[in-house]
């Protein structure tokens, strides 16, 4: 029977080890084995369970209710992501950055980065993107808090083993989405540095001997995909990173 460390499971399931520990300690969703030294070991059944938990969460089920579903209980499964958006909006309107940061850190421990980006932060940011001054101010507050939180996550990831990479935004204007792409990348095992401002063109020769992750937004152009394919054929370590959170080293083969 194959056994996996928490780091290996994090890569296999695209999830932060911190979230796996929270699911075990706070909610009793996982019961990994332990080595003599106390390190967690997961088997194939645990991996299947983790993926099932992720599916429930992506459908809007609160983490605290997932255990009952795994035990076969029937619940009223009203979508919970809109409710979380309203909770986040409330913290933004309160104008208290400390409470906002604490809430974001709490949900960041309970949910995978990809799920939070796709189900919580991106939909709420779209709701706030308009010409109305108040909503624009709330969006700016949210973006600042997000970038601050993600920067802390990137710094924490550098304390652990992983693959080093530089993340570059290419022809995309949304700097916050660039940082969210970096957040998803670190949960795939990358240790990421972010080029803070997106570029209109990418020049790999400026970053010799570095692995480069390229964020082209949710819909890369045919020209961008063709250029990425050319770099791949030249043997350069440059990989596209899209909004799905999938491993860039596999994505390059899909172009």
């Amino acid at each position: 029977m194959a056994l996996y460390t928490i780091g290996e499971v994090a890569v296999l399931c695209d999830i932060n080890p911190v979230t796996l520990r929270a699911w075990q300690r706070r909610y009793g969703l996982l019961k990994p084995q332990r080595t003599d030294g106390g390190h967690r070991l997961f088997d194939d059944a645990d991996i299947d369970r983790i993926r099932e938990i992720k599916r429930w969460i992506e459908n809007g089920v609160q983490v605290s209710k997932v255990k009952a579903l795994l035990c076969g209980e029937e619940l009223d499964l009203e979508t919970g992501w809109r409710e979380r958006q309203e909770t986040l909006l409330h913290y933004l309107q309160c104008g208290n950055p400390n409470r906002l940061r604490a809430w974001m850190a709490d949900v960041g421990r309970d949910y995978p980065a990809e799920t939070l980006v796709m189900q919580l932060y991106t939909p709420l940011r779209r709701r706030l993107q308009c010409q109305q001054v108040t909503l624009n101010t709330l969006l700016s507050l949210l973006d600042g808090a997000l970038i601050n939180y993600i920067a802390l996550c990137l710094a924490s990831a550098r304390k652990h083993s992983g693959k080093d990479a530089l993340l570059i935004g290419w022809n995309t204007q949304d700097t916050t989405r660039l940082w969210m792409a970096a957040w998803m990348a670190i949960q795939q095992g990358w240790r990421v540095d972010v080029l803070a401002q997106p570029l209109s063109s990418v020049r790999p020769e400026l970053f010799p001997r570095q692995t480069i992750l390229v964020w082209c937004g949710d819909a890369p152009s045919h020209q961008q995909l063709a250029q990425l394919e050319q770099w791949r054929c030249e043997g350069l370590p440059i990989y596209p990173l899209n909004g799905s959170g999938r491993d860039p080293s596999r994505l390059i083969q899909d172009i």
Side-chain angles (χ1 to χ4, degrees), residues 10 17 25 38 56 72 87-89 97 102-103 107 112 118 128-129 146-147 153 157 162 168 174 180 204 224 237:
R25 294 171 178 168
W56 283 120
T87 300
L88 177 53
L89 184 58
W103 187 85
V107 297
M118 299 304 177
L128 298 176
Q129 287 170 342
L146 264 173
I147 292 173
C153 292
I168 297 175
D174 193 340
M180 290 195 284
Q224 288 173 317

Side-chain angles (χ1 to χ4, degrees), residues 77-127:
L77 297 181
E78 61 182 50
T79 300
W81 286 112
R82 181 71 181 201
E83 180 181 339
R84 294 183 189 90
Q85 290 176 35
E86 295 302 323
T87 300
L88 177 53
L89 184 58
H90 168 72
Y91 282 112
L92 290 169
Q93 292 170 328
C94 286
N96 187 325
N98 289 330
R99 292 180 62 190
L100 175 62
R101 284 193 294 266
W103 187 85
M104 292 173 65
D106 196 39
V107 297
R109 284 188 291 268
D110 288 350
Y111 297 95
E114 181 185 353
T115 301
L116 291 173
V117 168
M118 299 304 177
Q119 303 289 358
L120 177 62
Y121 293 121
T122 298
L124 182 57
R125 292 184 74 241
R126 288 188 184 128
R127 291 170 58 189

Side-chain angles (χ1 to χ4, degrees), residues 106-165:
D106 196 39
V107 297
R109 284 188 291 268
D110 288 350
Y111 297 95
E114 181 185 353
T115 301
L116 291 173
V117 168
M118 299 304 177
Q119 303 289 358
L120 177 62
Y121 293 121
T122 298
L124 182 57
R125 292 184 74 241
R126 288 188 184 128
R127 291 170 58 189
L128 298 176
Q129 287 170 342
C130 71
Q131 300 302 315
Q132 211 275 339
V133 174
T134 300
L135 296 184
N136 262 329
T137 301
L138 295 178
L139 176 61
S140 181
L141 178 60
L142 174 59
D143 284 357
L146 264 173
I147 292 173
N148 179 69
Y149 173 69
I150 293 170
L152 292 174
C153 292
L154 297 183
S156 178
R158 298 207 64 82
K159 300 176 183 177
H160 307 286
S161 61
K163 301 164 285 185
D164 291 327

